[in-house]
Amino acid sequence: MRARELAVDYETVDVDSDALAAARLMAEHSLPGLLVLDRRGAPKAVLPAAEMIKLLVPNYVVEDPALAAVVDEAHADRLCLALVGRRVGDCLPGRAAPPPVADPDDTALEVAALMARVHSPVVAVAERTKDGPRLLGVITASHLLHRLLTRTGTIGAP
């Protein structure tokens, strides 16, 4: 199996996308994260859902988790308002690492090793063109695991 065969369409956002809409996209599709594209459409970063949740929690609660118990539900229900007016680019960690990108001809084992090395739930598959990388799709950790288990007969085909 090559990366090009494993790649699937996947929700992406760009750095200028609305952060609240991106959070909704993750929630509605149960995505572990989103692939963020730069203004040219090239993979820029992976925005994990956990990072979005981190942005919702006030710093004082992160620093002292005991305070979470005293925040009333009405206040907690308004946490998502922290994303209003923000762009996805504003939500990326200060030194967001570039996303893992596999070559279309990489093997499943090469993709698995890349995922393991960078601890990312998604790997972009992109081919190099004279205009820069062209995104072909994404391989998620769960999809790769399913395909590997299916090929070994450990689980049934979808």
Side-chain angles (χ1 to χ4, degrees):
M1 281 184 291
R2 299 291 174 175
R4 76 173 73 253
E5 300 162 28
L6 293 166
V8 296
D9 288 337
Y10 192 79
E11 300 290 349
T12 62
V13 294
D14 64 46
V15 292
D16 293 322
S17 295
D18 179 72
L20 188 55
R24 261 193 228 105
L25 190 60
M26 281 190 235
E28 290 170 357
H29 296 280
S30 300
L31 301 175
L34 289 172
L35 181 63
V36 180
L37 306 177
D38 66 16
R39 289 180 178 97
R40 296 176 298 123
K44 176 176 177 54
V46 172
L47 178 58
E51 186 67 28
M52 292 297 270
I53 289 172
K54 182 179 172 185
L55 292 170
L56 301 179
V57 179
N59 285 336
Y60 62 86
V61 175
V62 172
E63 292 170 11
D64 186 358
L67 293 175
V70 298
V71 174
D72 64 5
E73 286 300 314
H75 182 73
D77 290 344
R78 294 191 303 269
L79 292 177
C80 290
L81 296 178
L83 297 177
V84 172
R86 295 177 87 170
R87 300 172 316 115
V88 166
D90 301 331
C91 299
L92 293 172
R95 294 184 182 198
V101 178
D103 184 83
D105 291 323
D106 285 352
T107 65
L109 184 55
E110 288 173 303
V111 173
L114 176 59
M115 271 184 187
R117 189 170 53 252
V118 300
H119 306 284
S120 178
V122 297
V123 169
V125 178
E127 63 184 0
R128 300 183 200 297
T129 69
K130 61 180 167 98
D131 299 322
R134 185 176 73 86
L135 183 66
L136 299 178
V138 168
I139 302 170
T140 65
S142 58
H143 178 70
L144 179 59
L145 187 59
H146 190 270
R147 289 291 297 268
L148 293 172
L149 290 171
T150 300
R151 286 197 52 122
T152 61
T154 309
I155 63 172

